Amino acid sequence: QIVVDTNDRFLRKITVGQANTEKGHARQVCSRYCLYQKLQKTAYSLYFFSIQFNLHLTGDIHAITAANNLVAAAIDARILHEATQSDKALYSRLVPSVNGVRCFSPIQMARLQRLGINKSDPSDLTPEEVRAFVRLDLDPEKVTWQRVVDTNDRFLRKITVGQANTEKGHARQTQFDIAVASEIMAILALTDGLADMRARLGRMVVGSSRNGQSITADDLGVTGALAVLMKDAIKPTLMQTLEGTPVFVHAGPFANIAHGNSSVLADKLALKLVGEEGYVVTEAGFGADIGMEKFFNIKCRTSGLRPDVVVLVATVRALKMHGGGPNVTAGVPLPKEYINENLQLVADGCSNLKKQIQIAHLFGVPVVVALNVFKTDTQAEIDMVCCIAEASGASAAVQCHHWSRGGRGSVELAHAVKKVASQKNHFQFLYNLQDSIVEKIRTIAQKVYGADDIELSPEAQAKIDHYNQQGFGALPICMAKTHLSLSHMPEKKGVPTGFILPIRDIRASIGAGFIYPLVGTMSTMPGLPTRPCFYDIDLDPVTEEIKGLF
């Protein structure tokens, strides 16, 4: 059975495995409520750990999962209660009399104000006002909020919830996403404080009413509870490397779906701690085409921060794959092409590296290429990559040996970054927010991916029209695309050209503040392979040493 730490009655009986990818292997299961003891935390705003990165250290994902699924439970419960109760019964339950006193809660007062009802005494509302207040009238077919779980569970890609008799026939199809794809994770990464986070949580759109109005978390009345669940997760965790370098660990938005960057709060706190003469290195997700593009167009807009230099990490092995090398399968020994010297594969694969450098230059930021050297790389291959990188416009290209030597192996990289960061750059965004949604998508597809054009499905076009109608057209774009290729086709390595980028669907993360198109067959819930890595993971009960994670 599936267990969740949310009172979600619509999970009492569900059918999983209904997506086409599961090839007809659907089945009915039940869920249970998992009650666990919350750990009491100290008053410290930062938690300092060293040596071992505990799997559940920060608690970010647990808090996000609980908050996300609370919204999902609230949605289905509200639909059920509205369908089975009169206006009067709903009103008496939503605004009960407690010890003879009946009053609106603060979040209910906010809803009244949004409805244009300027009254504070529950007894003063007219029947029409009562109806407007109690009826969200959520259309079950237009609910956009998904449940999440932090497991690659492909059978949750499409499910039917609400099949227990207690739900009175209110079953509907929905799905689970991977937990880090939750909009709440994106909000955690982009917020600058508790007040901003609460406001963003309240703006999250969960679906539409039958008359086409957006329904938000504020309308559900759940925002305050979400803020309470997230109040500790907003605090960055301070750790250190084995060599004592301070590191903030905070947030992890799924880079294929959200923007894939570390949190704004962690960046700003780190900058304050290092001072004007210090340097902060922050992750921008994988690939200049995904992580870096979103870092610039979304995170930099939100934070107001501007990067001084891009450190583009490359490996000889990855470049060989982009040069036409054979496929690599997890758990299977590497093909000889990746172990033995092969200058032709390296040279061909550097076309991808050149394109990545060009993408960074679209934003006016200089590039330092950090070649992560492994023991199987030959000096001729290393020299070739560095030479081609600098000829392609990189301000510097440095071989790095941190894989084998730790910090000592990256001193040359540090000097190169310091030198290039001191130079003036001309940072710019790729597009104007006032451009149409379609034009912003087309700009990314053509200038970053190298596509000839985009192709919108009828569903995607309908969503764009809907978002424009609701006033969301001026948000930045967060493309949900495979990381395995510059295109939407994972098997197309190097620098694909002559392709049309298909936009299958478009969703909106209004609280986080972006529109995200789903490109090609991109899935929001990964699946387990035939031989998952859990076969190799174990724990030594005596030393508590974890084996097989890396």
Side-chain angles (χ1 to χ4, degrees):
Q1 295 179 343
I2 301 166
V3 294
V4 294
D5 192 40
T6 307
N7 291 359
D8 193 342
R9 60 187 299 156
F10 270 70
L11 294 183
R12 289 172 179 168
K13 190 174 185 182
I14 66 176
T15 299
V16 302
Q18 293 180 299
N20 292 336
T21 51
E22 307 336 308
K23 304 174 182 178
H25 291 279
R27 67 184 182 92
Q28 279 195 338
V29 299
C30 298
S31 299
R32 291 186 295 126
Y33 175 69
C34 178
L35 179 65
Y36 61 89
Q37 181 66 40
K38 302 275 193 304
L39 296 178
Q40 295 298 314
K41 295 191 175 181
T42 67
Y44 297 110
S45 61
L46 299 175
Y47 301 92
F48 189 85
F49 294 85
S50 64
I51 307 302
Q52 182 171 319
F53 190 117
N54 185 290
L55 287 173
H56 305 281
L57 173 65
T58 66
D60 296 352
I61 294 177
H62 300 314
I64 287 157
T65 301
N68 184 103
N69 292 342
L70 176 59
V71 177
I75 291 168
D76 283 311
R78 187 59 177 262
I79 293 173
L80 172 69
H81 294 315
E82 286 190 22
T84 56
Q85 298 180 47
S86 66
D87 294 348
K88 183 179 180 180
L90 277 171
Y91 194 46
S92 66
R93 287 174 171 83
L94 289 172
V95 192
S97 177
V98 181
N99 297 326
V101 178
R102 194 179 189 193
C103 62
F104 294 112
S105 68
I107 200 166
Q108 289 177 329
M109 286 296 300
R111 172 162 169 76
L112 288 171
Q113 291 170 7
R114 287 194 300 277
L115 293 171
I117 302 173
N118 298 313
K119 298 177 180 178
S120 58
D121 187 339
S123 63
D124 289 344
L125 268 64
T126 67
E128 291 76 17
E129 290 171 337
V130 167
R131 182 172 181 80
F133 173 74
V134 301
R135 299 282 173 190
L136 298 182
D137 200 26
L138 257 168
D139 186 342
E141 298 297 321
K142 295 180 180 178
V143 171
T144 56
W145 194 263
Q146 318 289 3
R147 291 167 173 82
V148 299
V149 63
D150 193 39
T151 306
N152 292 5
D153 193 341
R154 60 188 305 146
F155 270 68
L156 295 181
R157 287 172 178 170
K158 190 175 183 181
I159 65 174
T160 298
V161 298
Q163 294 180 298
N165 293 335
T166 51
E167 308 333 309
K168 305 174 183 178
H170 289 277
R172 69 179 183 90
Q173 279 198 336
T174 182
Q175 68 182 61
F176 273 77
D177 290 338
I178 193 75
V180 289
S182 170
E183 182 178 354
I184 298 177
M185 174 63 92
I187 288 174
L188 178 67
L190 291 171
T191 190
D192 64 5
L194 277 171
D196 177 66
M197 181 180 71
R198 191 190 184 287
R200 287 174 177 270
L201 291 171
R203 291 197 299 268
M204 295 186 308
V205 173
V206 302
S208 298
S209 66
R210 286 182 171 85
N211 63 6
Q213 296 298 310
S214 295
I215 304 299
T216 67
D218 268 349
D219 291 321
L220 284 170
V222 74
T223 308
L226 299 181
V228 170
L229 285 169
M230 295 295 295
K231 75 178 183 67
D232 290 319
I234 198 174
K235 302 168 186 175
T237 302
L238 180 60
M239 300 185 68
Q240 65 176 341
T241 68
L242 290 174
E243 297 179 346
T245 303
V247 179
F248 278 118
V249 180
H250 195 217
F254 198 30
N256 293 100
I257 311 302
H259 56 294
N261 312 144
S262 300
S263 76
V264 169
L265 276 172
D267 286 357
K268 288 187 173 181
L269 187 54
L271 285 165
K272 185 175 182 179
L273 290 175
V274 301
E276 292 185 2
E277 302 301 318
Y279 293 83
V280 173
V281 180
T282 187
E283 183 185 5
F286 39 61
D289 57 314
I290 300 184
M292 192 199 71
E293 180 269 313
K294 295 175 182 178
F295 179 93
F296 289 149
N297 282 319
I298 298 175
K299 187 179 178 184
C300 287
R301 274 192 167 99
T302 298
S303 67
L305 301 175
R306 302 292 182 264
D308 296 299
V309 59
V310 169
V311 178
L312 191 61
V313 181
T315 67
V316 167
R317 292 176 180 178
L319 293 174
K320 284 181 176 180
M321 177 172 285
H322 280 290
N327 290 333
V328 174
T329 303
V332 176
L334 283 173
K336 58 181 178 57
E337 287 85 351
Y338 299 108
I339 299 173
N340 302 328
E341 182 175 279
N342 192 319
L343 296 178
Q344 188 59 55
L345 281 181
V346 174
D348 292 343
C350 279
S351 62
N352 183 272
L353 178 60
K354 181 178 179 179
K355 175 65 174 176
Q356 302 277 338
I357 295 170
Q358 291 172 349
I359 294 170
H361 287 164
L362 289 173
F363 298 90
V365 184
V367 177
V368 172
V369 172
L371 183 62
N372 188 5
V373 177
F374 288 80
K375 63 182 180 180
T376 55
D377 302 340
T378 69
Q379 194 60 47
E381 292 173 330
I382 294 169
D383 293 342
M384 174 178 282
V385 173
C386 292
C387 181
I388 293 176
E390 292 181 348
S392 300
S395 298
V398 182
Q399 52 179 296
C400 306
H401 296 272
H402 50 276
W403 182 80
S404 57
R405 304 175 193 168
R408 293 182 298 108
S410 295
V411 173
E412 186 181 352
L413 173 64
H415 288 309
V417 169
K418 183 177 180 181
K419 179 180 178 181
V420 176
S422 66
Q423 302 170 4
K424 186 176 180 179
N425 68 46
H426 306 281
F427 178 81
Q428 63 183 3
F429 296 117
L430 187 64
Y431 52 76
N432 191 308
L433 289 181
Q434 300 310 313
D435 295 342
S436 69
I437 293 176
V438 172
E439 281 307 309
K440 284 180 283 196
I441 296 172
R442 181 175 286 115
T443 297
I444 296 171
Q446 293 179 333
K447 292 187 176 182
V448 177
Y449 307 155
D452 287 346
D453 204 352
I454 63 173
E455 181 179 57
L456 298 171
S457 70
E459 183 178 6
Q461 184 60 65
K463 291 283 189 68
I464 290 175
D465 294 340
H466 180 64
Y467 295 145
N468 285 329
Q469 181 184 5
Q470 293 183 318
F472 302 144
L475 292 175
I477 301 299
C478 187
M479 303 287 272
K481 183 186 78 71
T482 179
H483 61 287
L484 299 173
S485 172
L486 286 167
S487 72
H488 61 287
M489 301 167 283
E491 71 280 2
K492 299 293 184 182
K493 307 301 181 184
V495 184
T497 58
F499 64 93
I500 304 295
L501 192 75
I503 308 300
R504 180 180 92 247
D505 192 10
I506 295 183
R507 300 177 187 173
S509 293
I510 304 305
F514 54 72
I515 301 290
Y516 67 100
L518 297 178
V519 180
T521 58
M522 182 65 209
S523 174
T524 54
M525 169 57 82
L528 290 175
T530 304
R531 191 188 188 281
C533 60
F534 57 64
Y535 280 93
D536 303 309
I537 298 174
D538 207 346
L539 177 71
D540 188 316
V542 177
T543 65
E544 296 189 11
E545 179 184 359
I546 299 172
K547 301 176 181 178
L549 277 182
F550 305 104

